[in-house]
Amino acid sequence: EPEVTQTPSHQVTQMGQEVILRCVPISNHLYFYWYRQILGQKVEFLVSFYNNEISEKSEIFDDQFSVERPDGSNFTLKIRSTKLEDSAMYFCASSEYSGANVLTFGAGSRLTVL
Amino acid sequence: DQQVKQNSPSLSVQEGRISILNCDYTNSMFDYFLWYKKYPAEGPTFLISISSIKDKNEDGRFTVFLNKSAKHLSLHIVPSQPGDSAVYFCAALVSSNTGKLIFGQGTTLQVKP
């Protein structure tokens, strides 16, 4: 069964450092997403991406965050200058279309900011 | 953001019995709902969905019921199995243009052998 793969599975970084989380979505999917889950809290939407553009972003997704699909297969989330409160599990997801459809999630990348 | 709420943080049932997980939402514009299951160290896995034009959708042991007037949905698992032990999230599709989902807090289901 096709799956979404994420790397790294766990990253530890110092506050203020840049972090890039990588995702390989399912190959025929056109819509890409990042969600995050802070420990003990809800899974929260960060951003959706389609046709090389951000289609929607949450208020969490401020200027410190960016997404990119650099080579047609990878989908990356960059945090420019990490803060303690960025510590969370970050999930990448993809879907064939945006309507009443199913998002397929990756296993997540755990980010720990010290 | 309390638009999707799962008020029971945990549920424990005996193997073979029915598990009922509940979810409430506040926005009557939501018209598509999904249930995801999550095991530790894994991402959420899609389980079952329902459109607002239906009040029930069934897939094997899993049935989702939607009560639009009460803004309530529930997931029934019959019979429950120990392998069903996981965190269950309900989610609402917020935007059909962008595919954005809003999740509930999750309910941890433990099925005891």
Side-chain angles (χ1 to χ4, degrees):
Chain A
E1 187 172 330
E3 58 181 29
V4 174
T5 55
Q6 290 187 241
T7 55
S9 56
H10 188 192
Q11 180 152 0
V12 181
T13 190
Q14 294 291 323
M15 192 169 56
Q17 295 296 303
E18 176 182 285
V19 159
I20 297 176
L21 305 177
R22 292 183 168 80
C23 169
V24 179
I26 293 173
S27 60
N28 65 331
H29 285 186
L30 301 177
Y31 293 82
F32 313 110
Y33 312 85
W34 284 99
Y35 285 76
R36 78 173 186 189
Q37 186 180 28
I38 295 171
L39 189 63
Q41 297 187 24
K42 286 187 177 189
V43 176
E44 306 174 282
F45 170 80
L46 291 178
V47 66
S48 59
F49 189 86
Y50 169 71
N51 198 27
N52 282 318
E53 287 184 346
I54 289 174
S55 45
E56 185 168 356
K57 61 183 180 179
S58 72
E59 57 191 27
I60 303 167
F61 195 90
D62 61 21
D63 292 344
Q64 293 301 312
F65 291 85
S66 62
V67 288
E68 194 178 33
R69 191 159 157 80
D71 56 12
S73 61
N74 291 286
F75 179 53
T76 62
L77 174 69
K78 182 193 290 186
I79 310 174
R80 252 178 283 281
S81 177
T82 49
K83 303 188 279 285
L84 294 175
E85 54 265 36
D86 294 327
S87 294
M89 182 72 91
Y90 288 80
F91 294 105
C92 174
S94 68
S95 63
E96 282 187 77
Y97 50 97
S98 67
N101 78 120
V102 174
L103 272 64
T104 302
F105 285 82
S109 293
R110 178 167 297 285
L111 175 64
T112 302
V113 182
L114 302 176
Chain B
D1 181 353
Q2 293 291 307
Q3 294 193 69
V4 178
K5 291 184 283 188
Q6 294 174 257
N7 291 318
S8 297
S10 63
L11 175 67
S12 181
V13 301
Q14 285 297 131
E15 181 178 7
R17 305 296 291 269
I18 184 171
S19 295
I20 300 176
L21 298 104
N22 294 303
C23 179
D24 297 296
Y25 60 96
T26 56
N27 191 334
S28 57
M29 298 298 291
F30 291 159
D31 60 5
Y32 190 73
F33 304 90
L34 307 92
W35 283 93
Y36 279 83
K37 178 169 75 172
K38 186 181 179 305
Y39 293 117
E42 295 185 13
T45 303
F46 171 74
L47 202 52
I48 193 168
S49 62
I50 189 165
S51 164
S52 62
I53 62 173
K54 293 184 168 184
D55 54 19
K56 177 182 172 182
N57 189 26
E58 195 170 351
D59 184 1
R61 296 186 297 114
F62 302 92
T63 303
V64 56
F65 295 91
L66 176 62
N67 183 334
K68 289 186 288 294
S69 60
K71 297 194 191 73
H72 177 83
L73 61 154
S74 61
L75 174 69
H76 293 211
I77 307 173
V78 182
S80 302
Q81 298 173 354
D84 296 329
S85 298
V87 180
Y88 289 78
F89 294 97
C90 72
L93 179 67
V94 175
S95 167
S96 59
N97 289 328
T98 65
K100 175 183 175 181
L101 298 178
I102 286 184
F103 284 84
Q105 302 94 317
T107 297
T108 301
L109 173 66
Q110 182 185 27
V111 180
K112 297 179 179 176

